Amino acid sequence: MTKQETRDYRADGYVNLMNRYGTLRDASEQYSFAPEPTVPDELLSLYYEGNGLFARIIDTPAEEAVKRGFTLEGLADKGLEDFWRASLERLDWEEAAMTGIRWARLYGGAAAVLLLDDGRGLEEPLDLPNLRGIAGIRVFDRSQIMPDNTRAYQTGPLERMGTPEFYDVSTRNGRFRVHDSRCLLFRNGILPEHTPSQLYQLWGVPEYVRIHRAIRDAEVAHGSATKLLDRSVQAVYRMKDLSSELATEEGEDRVLRRLQIIDAARGLLNSIAIDGEGEDYGFQQFQYSGVGDVIDATCNYLSALTSIPQTILFGRSPAGMNATGTADLENWYNYLERIQRRMLRGNLQYLLKLVFQAGVNRGEIQEVPAVNVRFRPLWSLSEGEQADL
């Protein structure tokens, strides 16, 4: 073979010049991701107050993650059991934890400030050997908290390295500075270090940013379905020589007056009197197929984004052949367990450490026990499942 065959170079992919597929003028190639703008905190507050569906998305996981409570493994002393339960009940820990998760989901993050009786101010590090007690817990959302990024931990606890040491809290009653050792932090996820959303970098993204379009579509679909009922039946008026009548100088006014008389008679007498030869009055009904499928699709998408099953979010029963909703509920409880691990476990361990240390310093207990927080199962077994177990 004296001549080597050559072929024209072609890049991977298909191009059709007739319909512009794969070219720069292809409409499907013009889509690009645009980041969502920063949402004002005032809008988050107003949306939470005025939109029932959004408020349910924010509140339900927070309430469900806390309501079952927890136990402490490795604690055999009944006196210690009564001690920590009475302490957390006095601090109303369950309500504080629920509020912290709720504000973390709404604003991206929250902080619970511990009012510690250790002889120091809020801006000073905790003096653990002199801790006498915890006076209360105050929860503040991210919009009220400004971390001091210029003062990050350089030494100290390894788990705190690189995190802010101080937070400036602004409330209606004033401003104050608090040390990190006096705070419990609630974060709604973790963002990359180079995220453009610097406002949410330390805390997490508010739920609204990711689901507001899905909520809008679900609400529009439900609202439009009811409006279609008004248009599903159309009254039709037929009149002999209607075109000729409208062509006259006062024909349009006479036709409109005639229609008003017929509508008034329908409203008052529920009957219509028309000319047997020249008039006809009837109704035409329209069938709107596929409306229910559109509503179901928007609900399914919203449920997928929020990880809340439709049985809980919308109060619907499971649909389809052999549908029991067991898989949806299992995914739901797994989602709640992730919230417990990320937002509750570490905060609860630290709070219990302070509670026991304060008890030791007051002489009520002998030592700080080594405990492990274990949340009670969220899934309630049926009688048959309990018998099998």
Side-chain angles (χ1 to χ4, degrees), residues 312-357:
I312 296 175
L313 186 58
F314 298 104
R316 290 184 173 184
S317 300
M321 295 181 63
N322 301 324
T324 61
T326 302
D328 293 341
L329 290 178
E330 184 176 355
N331 294 333
W332 163 242
Y333 291 132
N334 291 336
Y335 175 65
L336 294 180
E337 289 176 357
R338 292 197 298 270
I339 292 179
Q340 291 175 339
R341 289 194 300 268
R342 293 174 180 176
M343 296 192 192
L344 292 181
R345 185 183 298 279
N347 288 329
L348 194 52
Q349 290 276 167
Y350 184 70
L351 178 61
L352 287 170
K353 173 186 174 182
L354 300 184
V355 167
F356 286 126
Q357 184 64 54

CSV table of all heavy atoms in Angstrom, one decimal, residues 312-357:
chain,number,residue,atom,x,y,z
A,312,ILE,N,-47.3,13.4,55.0
A,312,ILE,CA,-47.1,14.4,56.2
A,312,ILE,C,-47.3,15.8,55.7
A,312,ILE,O,-47.9,16.6,56.4
A,312,ILE,CB,-45.7,14.1,56.8
A,312,ILE,CG1,-45.7,12.7,57.4
A,312,ILE,CG2,-45.4,15.2,57.8
A,312,ILE,CD1,-44.3,12.3,57.9
A,313,LEU,N,-46.7,16.1,54.5
A,313,LEU,CA,-46.7,17.5,54.1
A,313,LEU,C,-48.1,17.9,53.6
A,313,LEU,O,-48.5,19.1,53.9
A,313,LEU,CB,-45.7,17.7,52.9
A,313,LEU,CG,-45.5,19.1,52.4
A,313,LEU,CD1,-45.0,20.0,53.5
A,313,LEU,CD2,-44.5,19.0,51.2
A,314,PHE,N,-48.8,17.1,52.9
A,314,PHE,CA,-50.2,17.4,52.4
A,314,PHE,C,-51.3,16.6,53.0
A,314,PHE,O,-52.4,16.9,52.7
A,314,PHE,CB,-50.2,17.2,50.8
A,314,PHE,CG,-49.2,18.0,50.1
A,314,PHE,CD1,-48.0,17.5,49.6
A,314,PHE,CD2,-49.4,19.4,49.9
A,314,PHE,CE1,-47.1,18.3,48.9
A,314,PHE,CE2,-48.5,20.2,49.2
A,314,PHE,CZ,-47.4,19.6,48.7
A,315,GLY,N,-51.0,15.7,53.9
A,315,GLY,CA,-52.0,14.9,54.5
A,315,GLY,C,-52.7,13.9,53.5
A,315,GLY,O,-53.8,13.5,53.7
A,316,ARG,N,-51.9,13.5,52.5
A,316,ARG,CA,-52.5,12.6,51.5
A,316,ARG,C,-52.3,11.1,51.9
A,316,ARG,O,-51.3,10.8,52.6
A,316,ARG,CB,-51.8,12.8,50.2
A,316,ARG,CG,-52.2,14.1,49.5
A,316,ARG,CD,-51.6,14.1,48.1
A,316,ARG,NE,-52.0,15.3,47.3
A,316,ARG,CZ,-51.7,15.5,46.1
A,316,ARG,NH1,-50.9,14.6,45.4
A,316,ARG,NH2,-52.1,16.5,45.4
A,317,SER,N,-53.1,10.3,51.5
A,317,SER,CA,-52.9,8.8,51.7
A,317,SER,C,-52.1,8.3,50.5
A,317,SER,O,-52.1,8.8,49.4
A,317,SER,CB,-54.3,8.1,51.7
A,317,SER,OG,-55.1,8.6,52.7
A,318,PRO,N,-51.3,7.3,50.8
A,318,PRO,CA,-50.4,6.7,49.7
A,318,PRO,C,-51.3,6.2,48.6
A,318,PRO,O,-52.4,5.7,48.8
A,318,PRO,CB,-49.7,5.5,50.4
A,318,PRO,CG,-49.8,5.9,51.9
A,318,PRO,CD,-51.0,6.6,52.1
A,319,ALA,N,-50.9,6.5,47.4
A,319,ALA,CA,-51.6,6.1,46.2
A,319,ALA,C,-50.9,5.1,45.4
A,319,ALA,O,-49.7,4.9,45.5
A,319,ALA,CB,-51.9,7.4,45.3
A,320,GLY,N,-51.7,4.4,44.5
A,320,GLY,CA,-51.1,3.4,43.6
A,320,GLY,C,-51.4,2.0,44.1
A,320,GLY,O,-51.8,1.8,45.3
A,321,MET,N,-51.1,1.0,43.3
A,321,MET,CA,-51.3,-0.4,43.7
A,321,MET,C,-50.4,-0.8,44.8
A,321,MET,O,-49.2,-0.6,44.7
A,321,MET,CB,-51.2,-1.3,42.4
A,321,MET,CG,-52.2,-1.0,41.3
A,321,MET,SD,-52.0,-2.1,39.9
A,321,MET,CE,-52.3,-3.7,40.7
A,322,ASN,N,-50.9,-1.5,45.8
A,322,ASN,CA,-50.1,-2.0,46.9
A,322,ASN,C,-49.3,-0.9,47.6
A,322,ASN,O,-48.2,-1.1,48.1
A,322,ASN,CB,-49.1,-3.1,46.4
A,322,ASN,CG,-49.9,-4.2,45.8
A,322,ASN,OD1,-51.0,-4.6,46.3
A,322,ASN,ND2,-49.3,-4.8,44.8
A,323,ALA,N,-49.8,0.4,47.6
A,323,ALA,CA,-49.1,1.5,48.2
A,323,ALA,C,-49.4,1.5,49.7
A,323,ALA,O,-50.6,1.6,50.1
A,323,ALA,CB,-49.5,2.8,47.5
A,324,THR,N,-48.3,1.5,50.5
A,324,THR,CA,-48.5,1.6,51.9
A,324,THR,C,-47.8,2.8,52.5
A,324,THR,O,-48.1,3.2,53.6
A,324,THR,CB,-47.9,0.3,52.6
A,324,THR,OG1,-46.5,0.2,52.3
A,324,THR,CG2,-48.6,-0.9,52.1
A,325,GLY,N,-46.9,3.4,51.8
A,325,GLY,CA,-46.2,4.6,52.3
A,325,GLY,C,-45.0,4.2,53.2
A,325,GLY,O,-44.4,5.1,53.8
A,326,THR,N,-44.7,2.9,53.3
A,326,THR,CA,-43.7,2.5,54.3
A,326,THR,C,-42.3,3.0,53.8
A,326,THR,O,-41.5,3.5,54.6
A,326,THR,CB,-43.6,1.0,54.3
A,326,THR,OG1,-44.9,0.5,54.8
A,326,THR,CG2,-42.6,0.5,55.3
A,327,ALA,N,-42.0,3.0,52.5
A,327,ALA,CA,-40.7,3.5,52.0
A,327,ALA,C,-40.6,5.0,52.3
A,327,ALA,O,-39.5,5.5,52.6
A,327,ALA,CB,-40.6,3.1,50.6
A,328,ASP,N,-41.7,5.7,52.0
A,328,ASP,CA,-41.6,7.2,52.2
A,328,ASP,C,-41.3,7.5,53.7
A,328,ASP,O,-40.5,8.4,54.0
A,328,ASP,CB,-42.9,7.8,51.8
A,328,ASP,CG,-43.1,7.7,50.3
A,328,ASP,OD1,-42.1,7.5,49.6
A,328,ASP,OD2,-44.3,7.8,49.8
A,329,LEU,N,-42.0,6.8,54.6
A,329,LEU,CA,-41.8,7.1,56.0
A,329,LEU,C,-40.4,6.7,56.5
A,329,LEU,O,-39.8,7.3,57.3
A,329,LEU,CB,-42.9,6.3,56.8
A,329,LEU,CG,-44.3,6.9,56.7
A,329,LEU,CD1,-45.3,6.0,57.5
A,329,LEU,CD2,-44.4,8.3,57.1
A,330,GLU,N,-39.9,5.6,55.9
A,330,GLU,CA,-38.5,5.2,56.3
A,330,GLU,C,-37.5,6.3,55.8
A,330,GLU,O,-36.6,6.6,56.6
A,330,GLU,CB,-38.2,3.9,55.6
A,330,GLU,CG,-36.9,3.3,56.0
A,330,GLU,CD,-36.6,1.9,55.5
A,330,GLU,OE1,-37.5,1.4,54.8
A,330,GLU,OE2,-35.5,1.4,55.7
A,331,ASN,N,-37.7,6.8,54.6
A,331,ASN,CA,-36.8,7.9,54.2
A,331,ASN,C,-37.0,9.1,55.0
A,331,ASN,O,-36.0,9.8,55.3
A,331,ASN,CB,-37.1,8.2,52.7
A,331,ASN,CG,-36.7,7.1,51.8
A,331,ASN,OD1,-35.9,6.3,52.1
A,331,ASN,ND2,-37.4,7.0,50.6
A,332,TRP,N,-38.2,9.4,55.5
A,332,TRP,CA,-38.5,10.5,56.3
A,332,TRP,C,-37.8,10.4,57.6
A,332,TRP,O,-37.2,11.4,58.1
A,332,TRP,CB,-40.0,10.7,56.4
A,332,TRP,CG,-40.5,11.5,57.6
A,332,TRP,CD1,-41.3,11.1,58.6
A,332,TRP,CD2,-40.3,12.9,57.7
A,332,TRP,NE1,-41.6,12.2,59.4
A,332,TRP,CE2,-41.0,13.3,58.9
A,332,TRP,CE3,-39.7,13.9,57.0
A,332,TRP,CZ2,-41.1,14.6,59.4
A,332,TRP,CZ3,-39.7,15.2,57.5
A,332,TRP,CH2,-40.4,15.6,58.6
A,333,TYR,N,-37.9,9.3,58.3
A,333,TYR,CA,-37.2,9.1,59.5
A,333,TYR,C,-35.7,9.1,59.4
A,333,TYR,O,-35.0,9.6,60.3
A,333,TYR,CB,-37.7,7.8,60.2
A,333,TYR,CG,-39.1,7.8,60.6
A,333,TYR,CD1,-40.0,6.8,60.3
A,333,TYR,CD2,-39.6,8.9,61.3
A,333,TYR,CE1,-41.4,6.9,60.7
A,333,TYR,CE2,-41.0,9.0,61.7
A,333,TYR,CZ,-41.8,8.0,61.4
A,333,TYR,OH,-43.1,8.1,61.7
A,334,ASN,N,-35.2,8.6,58.3
A,334,ASN,CA,-33.7,8.7,58.1
A,334,ASN,C,-33.3,10.2,58.0
A,334,ASN,O,-32.2,10.6,58.5
A,334,ASN,CB,-33.3,7.9,56.8
A,334,ASN,CG,-33.5,6.4,57.0
A,334,ASN,OD1,-33.4,5.9,58.1
A,334,ASN,ND2,-33.6,5.7,55.9
A,335,TYR,N,-34.1,11.0,57.3
A,335,TYR,CA,-33.9,12.4,57.2
A,335,TYR,C,-33.9,13.1,58.6
A,335,TYR,O,-33.0,13.9,58.9
A,335,TYR,CB,-34.9,13.1,56.3
A,335,TYR,CG,-34.8,14.5,56.2
A,335,TYR,CD1,-33.7,15.2,55.6
A,335,TYR,CD2,-35.8,15.4,56.6
A,335,TYR,CE1,-33.6,16.5,55.5
A,335,TYR,CE2,-35.8,16.7,56.5
A,335,TYR,CZ,-34.7,17.3,56.0
A,335,TYR,OH,-34.6,18.7,55.9
A,336,LEU,N,-34.8,12.7,59.4
A,336,LEU,CA,-34.9,13.3,60.8
A,336,LEU,C,-33.7,12.8,61.6
A,336,LEU,O,-33.1,13.6,62.4
A,336,LEU,CB,-36.2,12.8,61.5
A,336,LEU,CG,-37.5,13.4,60.9
A,336,LEU,CD1,-38.6,12.8,61.7
A,336,LEU,CD2,-37.5,14.9,60.9
A,337,GLU,N,-33.2,11.6,61.4
A,337,GLU,CA,-32.0,11.2,62.2
A,337,GLU,C,-30.8,11.9,61.7
A,337,GLU,O,-29.9,12.2,62.6
A,337,GLU,CB,-31.8,9.7,61.9
A,337,GLU,CG,-32.9,8.8,62.6
A,337,GLU,CD,-32.7,7.3,62.3
A,337,GLU,OE1,-31.8,7.0,61.5
A,337,GLU,OE2,-33.5,6.5,62.8
A,338,ARG,N,-30.7,12.3,60.5
A,338,ARG,CA,-29.6,13.2,60.1
A,338,ARG,C,-29.6,14.5,60.7
A,338,ARG,O,-28.6,15.1,61.1
A,338,ARG,CB,-29.6,13.3,58.5
A,338,ARG,CG,-29.3,12.1,57.8
A,338,ARG,CD,-28.9,12.3,56.3
A,338,ARG,NE,-30.0,13.0,55.6
A,338,ARG,CZ,-30.9,12.3,54.9
A,338,ARG,NH1,-30.9,11.0,54.9
A,338,ARG,NH2,-31.8,12.9,54.3
A,339,ILE,N,-30.8,15.1,60.9
A,339,ILE,CA,-31.0,16.4,61.6
A,339,ILE,C,-30.5,16.2,63.0
A,339,ILE,O,-29.8,17.1,63.6
A,339,ILE,CB,-32.4,16.9,61.5
A,339,ILE,CG1,-32.8,17.2,60.1
A,339,ILE,CG2,-32.6,18.1,62.4
A,339,ILE,CD1,-34.2,17.7,59.9
A,340,GLN,N,-30.9,15.1,63.7
A,340,GLN,CA,-30.5,14.9,65.1
A,340,GLN,C,-29.0,14.8,65.2
A,340,GLN,O,-28.4,15.3,66.1
A,340,GLN,CB,-31.2,13.6,65.6
A,340,GLN,CG,-32.7,13.7,65.7
A,340,GLN,CD,-33.3,12.4,66.1
A,340,GLN,OE1,-32.7,11.3,65.9
A,340,GLN,NE2,-34.5,12.4,66.7
A,341,ARG,N,-28.3,14.1,64.3
A,341,ARG,CA,-26.9,13.9,64.4
A,341,ARG,C,-26.2,15.3,64.1
A,341,ARG,O,-25.2,15.6,64.7
A,341,ARG,CB,-26.4,12.9,63.4
A,341,ARG,CG,-26.8,11.5,63.7
A,341,ARG,CD,-26.0,10.5,62.9
A,341,ARG,NE,-26.3,10.6,61.5
A,341,ARG,CZ,-27.2,10.0,60.8
A,341,ARG,NH1,-28.0,9.1,61.4
A,341,ARG,NH2,-27.3,10.2,59.5
A,342,ARG,N,-26.7,16.1,63.1
A,342,ARG,CA,-26.0,17.3,62.8
A,342,ARG,C,-26.2,18.5,63.7
A,342,ARG,O,-25.3,19.3,63.9
A,342,ARG,CB,-26.3,17.7,61.3
A,342,ARG,CG,-25.9,16.7,60.3
A,342,ARG,CD,-26.4,17.0,58.9
A,342,ARG,NE,-26.0,16.1,57.9
A,342,ARG,CZ,-26.4,16.1,56.6
A,342,ARG,NH1,-27.2,17.0,56.2
A,342,ARG,NH2,-25.9,15.3,55.7
A,343,MET,N,-27.4,18.6,64.2
A,343,MET,CA,-27.8,19.8,64.9
A,343,MET,C,-28.0,19.5,66.4
A,343,MET,O,-27.8,20.5,67.2
A,343,MET,CB,-29.1,20.4,64.4
A,343,MET,CG,-29.1,20.9,63.0
A,343,MET,SD,-30.5,21.8,62.6
A,343,MET,CE,-30.4,22.0,60.8
A,344,LEU,N,-28.3,18.3,66.8
A,344,LEU,CA,-28.6,18.1,68.2
A,344,LEU,C,-27.5,17.4,69.0
A,344,LEU,O,-27.2,17.7,70.2
A,344,LEU,CB,-29.9,17.3,68.3
A,344,LEU,CG,-31.2,18.0,67.9
A,344,LEU,CD1,-32.4,17.1,68.1
A,344,LEU,CD2,-31.4,19.3,68.6
A,345,ARG,N,-26.9,16.3,68.5
A,345,ARG,CA,-26.1,15.5,69.3
A,345,ARG,C,-24.9,16.2,69.9
A,345,ARG,O,-24.7,16.2,71.1
A,345,ARG,CB,-25.5,14.3,68.4
A,345,ARG,CG,-24.7,13.3,69.2
A,345,ARG,CD,-24.1,12.2,68.3
A,345,ARG,NE,-25.2,11.5,67.7
A,345,ARG,CZ,-25.9,10.5,68.2
A,345,ARG,NH1,-25.6,10.1,69.5
A,345,ARG,NH2,-26.8,9.9,67.5
A,346,GLY,N,-24.1,17.0,69.1
A,346,GLY,CA,-23.0,17.7,69.6
A,346,GLY,C,-23.4,18.7,70.7
A,346,GLY,O,-22.8,18.9,71.7
A,347,ASN,N,-24.4,19.5,70.4
A,347,ASN,CA,-24.9,20.5,71.3
A,347,ASN,C,-25.4,19.9,72.6
A,347,ASN,O,-25.2,20.4,73.7
A,347,ASN,CB,-26.0,21.3,70.6
A,347,ASN,CG,-25.5,22.3,69.5
A,347,ASN,OD1,-24.4,22.7,69.6
A,347,ASN,ND2,-26.4,22.5,68.5
A,348,LEU,N,-26.1,18.8,72.5
A,348,LEU,CA,-26.6,18.1,73.7
A,348,LEU,C,-25.5,17.6,74.5
A,348,LEU,O,-25.5,17.7,75.8
A,348,LEU,CB,-27.6,17.0,73.3
A,348,LEU,CG,-28.5,16.5,74.4
A,348,LEU,CD1,-29.2,17.6,75.1
A,348,LEU,CD2,-29.5,15.5,73.7
A,349,GLN,N,-24.5,17.0,73.9
A,349,GLN,CA,-23.3,16.5,74.7
A,349,GLN,C,-22.6,17.6,75.4
A,349,GLN,O,-22.3,17.4,76.6
A,349,GLN,CB,-22.3,15.8,73.7
A,349,GLN,CG,-22.8,14.5,73.1
A,349,GLN,CD,-22.6,13.3,74.0
A,349,GLN,OE1,-23.1,12.2,73.8
A,349,GLN,NE2,-21.8,13.5,75.0
A,350,TYR,N,-22.5,18.7,74.8
A,350,TYR,CA,-21.8,19.9,75.4
A,350,TYR,C,-22.6,20.4,76.6
A,350,TYR,O,-22.1,20.7,77.7
A,350,TYR,CB,-21.5,21.0,74.4
A,350,TYR,CG,-20.7,22.1,75.0
A,350,TYR,CD1,-19.4,22.0,75.3
A,350,TYR,CD2,-21.3,23.4,75.1
A,350,TYR,CE1,-18.7,23.1,75.8
A,350,TYR,CE2,-20.6,24.5,75.6
A,350,TYR,CZ,-19.3,24.3,76.0
A,350,TYR,OH,-18.6,25.4,76.5
A,351,LEU,N,-23.9,20.5,76.4
A,351,LEU,CA,-24.8,21.1,77.4
A,351,LEU,C,-24.8,20.1,78.6
A,351,LEU,O,-24.8,20.6,79.8
A,351,LEU,CB,-26.2,21.2,76.8
A,351,LEU,CG,-27.3,21.7,77.8
A,351,LEU,CD1,-26.9,23.1,78.4
A,351,LEU,CD2,-28.7,21.8,77.2
A,352,LEU,N,-24.9,18.8,78.4
A,352,LEU,CA,-24.9,17.9,79.5
A,352,LEU,C,-23.6,17.9,80.3
A,352,LEU,O,-23.6,17.8,81.5
A,352,LEU,CB,-25.2,16.5,79.0
A,352,LEU,CG,-26.6,16.2,78.5
A,352,LEU,CD1,-26.7,14.9,77.8
A,352,LEU,CD2,-27.6,16.3,79.7
A,353,LYS,N,-22.5,18.1,79.6
A,353,LYS,CA,-21.2,18.3,80.2
A,353,LYS,C,-21.2,19.5,81.2
A,353,LYS,O,-20.8,19.4,82.4
A,353,LYS,CB,-20.1,18.5,79.2
A,353,LYS,CG,-18.8,18.8,79.8
A,353,LYS,CD,-17.8,19.1,78.7
A,353,LYS,CE,-16.4,19.6,79.3
A,353,LYS,NZ,-15.4,19.9,78.2
A,354,LEU,N,-21.8,20.6,80.8
A,354,LEU,CA,-21.9,21.8,81.7
A,354,LEU,C,-22.9,21.5,82.8
A,354,LEU,O,-22.6,21.9,83.9
A,354,LEU,CB,-22.3,23.0,80.8
A,354,LEU,CG,-21.5,23.4,79.7
A,354,LEU,CD1,-22.0,24.7,79.0
A,354,LEU,CD2,-20.0,23.6,80.1
A,355,VAL,N,-24.0,20.8,82.5
A,355,VAL,CA,-24.9,20.5,83.6
A,355,VAL,C,-24.3,19.7,84.7
A,355,VAL,O,-24.4,20.0,85.9
A,355,VAL,CB,-26.2,19.9,83.0
A,355,VAL,CG1,-27.1,19.3,84.1
A,355,VAL,CG2,-27.0,20.8,82.1
A,356,PHE,N,-23.6,18.6,84.3
A,356,PHE,CA,-23.0,17.7,85.3
A,356,PHE,C,-21.9,18.5,86.0
A,356,PHE,O,-21.7,18.3,87.2
A,356,PHE,CB,-22.5,16.5,84.6
A,356,PHE,CG,-23.6,15.5,84.2
A,356,PHE,CD1,-23.7,15.0,82.9
A,356,PHE,CD2,-24.5,15.1,85.2
A,356,PHE,CE1,-24.7,14.1,82.6
A,356,PHE,CE2,-25.5,14.2,84.8
A,356,PHE,CZ,-25.6,13.7,83.5
A,357,GLN,N,-21.1,19.3,85.3
A,357,GLN,CA,-20.0,20.0,85.9
A,357,GLN,C,-20.5,21.0,87.0
A,357,GLN,O,-19.9,21.1,88.1
A,357,GLN,CB,-19.1,20.7,84.9
A,357,GLN,CG,-17.9,21.4,85.5
A,357,GLN,CD,-16.9,20.4,86.1
A,357,GLN,OE1,-16.5,19.4,85.4
A,357,GLN,NE2,-16.5,20.6,87.3
